[in-house]
Amino acid sequence: MMMMLNLKYVGVLLPVALLLGVAFVYLNSFYRLKEGFYDSSTGRFVDENLIGSPDLHLVAPDGLKYPQPSIMHGRTDIVSVTPWLAPIVWEGTFNPVILDSIYQKKNISIAATVFAVGKYIMFLKNFLETAEEHFFVGFRVNVYVFTDRPKEVPEVKMAAGRELIVRSVPSSKRWQEISARRMELIQTLIEETLLNNVDYIFCLDVDSKFHSRWGTESLGGLVAVIHPGYYQDNRNKFPYERRPSSRAYLASGEGDFYYCGGAFGGLLMEVHQLARTCRKNFEDDAKENIEAAWQEESHLNRYMWTNKPSKVLSPEYLWQDFKPRNPEIHTVRFSGVIKNYAEIRPN
Ligand code: UD2
């Protein structure tokens, strides 16, 4: 009796399971097909899932001609890969023509944030004008300016597809606070405005200007810039936060490089996680009356020790105007201008 009942169930369940299986396979392939298309010009199937994710599947346009790459010849005076195999970008390690043509096809969009609070507004014009000349030229770029002096934001002619957006922020009596609060504002900007609208974001110091190309070679998941002041030093000399009571603490013998607080970026969600973490750690420290040695820069360095950047930009991407150019720096792309701290800081 029991046996007969089981057989009856199997007789009903088996066809139902088969039917569901067939339906799943059919619907799944239909769904996938809907997410791609057949490109008759190249004779290839194009998967929109891959096109949609800006960091995946690098497709070069057909017919592109450029010098043959080599794995035997190249720069020998610098290191161009980290021990975790992230590229370190230097002049002479990439071909801008290949990279631009790949990312043009993806129609990526980039946000840049810059803070100009108090007297730092004086640096904005130069920053914006030189960004128009060198920063992701030919790409969709939105520059977000955070300032307490919106009326003093200079008029700068932006190319088609590029936009300047001004956000008001309160003034502050302490420069440390202005510098550190950037993480919170970047986090909020991503959550409230950029999500689903932008692919990459770069967060830059305003007291700086562009001198030459900063473009698609800098794109990556999490992007850090090597600080120009310490790249030849032993890591025990890096100005990391050294008090174990701070959440930015790095012990002697820890840390890969000393990264800049003045320039970092990457894919939107990577930078969101970085900003959220650094903000929280900064605020938790503040509750215990601790301020890390170099504010958010210390927290960023702590974060990058655990969360390794997937692309590292050489000091070409943030030099300092007061420093003579070292021989390995073939081009300065972005640099901090000379400034009189006593004159421009609120404290
Ligand atoms: C370094 C870092 C900076 C930050 C700081 C530690 C570089 C090149 N610079 O520079 O990013 O990590 O150490 O806090 O890595 N700001 C204002 N108004 C002010 C003060 C600051 O708008 O009154 C903004 C502005 O965008 C400026 C940024 O905060 O570029 C950093 O301040 P800074 O340039 O005075 O910091 P500095 O030179 O010590």
Side-chain angles (χ1 to χ4, degrees):
M1 179 70 181
M2 194 68 158
M3 184 78 164
M4 268 177 65
L5 205 67
N6 278 349
L7 276 176
K8 205 170 119 196
Y9 277 125
V10 171
V12 174
L13 285 178
L14 205 65
V16 171
L18 271 172
L19 212 66
L20 282 174
V22 170
F24 174 77
V25 171
Y26 173 74
L27 284 173
N28 195 34
S29 62
F30 177 70
Y31 177 72
R32 280 196 59 74
L33 274 176
K34 265 184 65 170
E35 289 187 341
F37 57 88
Y38 179 76
D39 182 348
S40 55
S41 66
T42 61
R44 290 185 203 132
F45 181 75
V46 181
D47 188 333
E48 281 177 347
N49 286 315
L50 292 177
I51 287 191
S53 35
D55 230 33
L56 288 175
H57 201 72
L58 307 180
V59 182
D62 282 337
L64 192 68
K65 297 264 190 292
Y66 51 84
Q68 179 185 351
S70 168
I71 61 163
M72 299 300 292
H73 303 287
R75 284 189 67 171
T76 53
D77 57 335
I78 45 92
V79 174
S80 60
V81 66
T82 67
W84 58 95
L85 299 181
I88 306 177
V89 184
W90 296 87
E91 177 69 7
T93 60
F94 63 91
N95 181 330
V97 175
I98 308 175
L99 284 162
D100 283 356
S101 60
I102 289 170
Y103 285 98
Q104 286 289 3
K105 260 174 105 90
K106 287 176 179 281
N107 193 24
I108 54 164
S109 80
I110 299 131
T113 61
V114 65
F115 289 74
V117 180
K119 291 185 186 164
Y120 276 61
I121 193 88
M122 71 167 75
F123 301 114
L124 190 57
K125 190 166 191 292
N126 215 349
F127 174 94
L128 293 172
E129 283 178 351
T130 56
E132 276 302 285
E133 287 169 43
H134 302 294
F135 185 69
F136 285 97
V137 175
F139 286 84
R140 293 193 288 139
V141 175
N142 282 352
V143 181
Y144 289 86
V145 173
F146 291 84
T147 182
D148 56 343
R149 302 183 182 191
K151 289 197 183 112
E152 292 176 42
V153 171
E155 291 241 338
V156 173
K157 199 172 159 9
M158 309 281 285
R162 298 166 73 95
E163 209 185 322
L164 184 68
I165 299 125
V166 180
R167 293 281 174 107
S168 285
V169 290
S171 312
S172 176
K173 291 201 173 72
R174 289 185 71 239
W175 66 265
Q176 293 91 336
E177 209 172 273
I178 299 168
S179 178
R181 269 206 74 209
R182 290 186 290 179
M183 288 296 184
E184 174 196 338
L185 292 159
I186 291 163
Q187 180 194 344
T188 315
L189 176 75
I190 293 175
E191 287 167 4
E192 292 178 357
T193 311
L194 304 185
L195 218 60
N196 303 322
N197 296 322
V198 159
D199 300 307
Y200 297 93
I201 180 169
F202 285 93
C203 309
L204 305 167
D205 266 9
V206 73
D207 53 318
S208 340
K209 64 180 187 187
F210 294 87
H211 300 267
S212 61
R213 175 195 166 94
W214 177 322
T216 46
E217 73 285 356
S218 68
L219 296 175
L222 180 62
V223 182
V225 181
I226 306 261
H227 197 292
Y230 306 95
Y231 68 97
Q232 292 173 343
D233 291 343
N234 182 288
R235 62 179 165 192
N236 289 331
K237 279 204 192 151
F238 292 167
Y240 292 145
E241 172 53 56
R242 300 298 189 182
R243 290 167 296 174
S245 51
S246 169
R247 285 147 188 89
Y249 172 63
L250 279 172
S252 156
E254 291 184 342
D256 299 302
F257 306 108
Y258 191 75
Y259 301 112
C260 291
F264 57 90
L267 280 173
L268 207 62
M269 292 323 288
E270 286 278 3
V271 177
H272 179 254
Q273 185 178 310
L274 161 86
R276 200 182 58 181
T277 309
C278 291
R279 173 204 179 171
K280 180 161 189 337
N281 289 341
F282 184 87
E283 289 177 357
D284 288 349
D285 266 10
K287 283 181 204 147
E288 294 167 12
N289 289 321
I290 305 166
E291 185 173 270
W294 286 99
Q295 298 81 37
E296 89 299 352
E297 185 171 88
S298 306
H299 287 281
L300 175 132
N301 272 281
R302 174 65 190 82
Y303 181 88
M304 299 276 188
W305 167 235
T306 308
N307 305 272
K308 304 292 193 210
S310 56
K311 187 166 275 184
V312 173
L313 306 182
S314 71
E316 295 167 4
Y317 288 81
L318 191 36
W319 197 246
Q320 286 165 321
D321 282 355
F322 67 79
K323 272 173 80 74
R325 197 196 285 195
N326 293 344
E328 62 277 10
I329 305 293
H330 292 185
T331 178
V332 170
R333 302 172 189 281
F334 187 58
S335 75
V337 302
I338 296 171
K339 62 190 183 203
N340 180 344
Y341 284 106
E343 244 174 44
I344 52 165
R345 278 178 169 171
N347 58 314

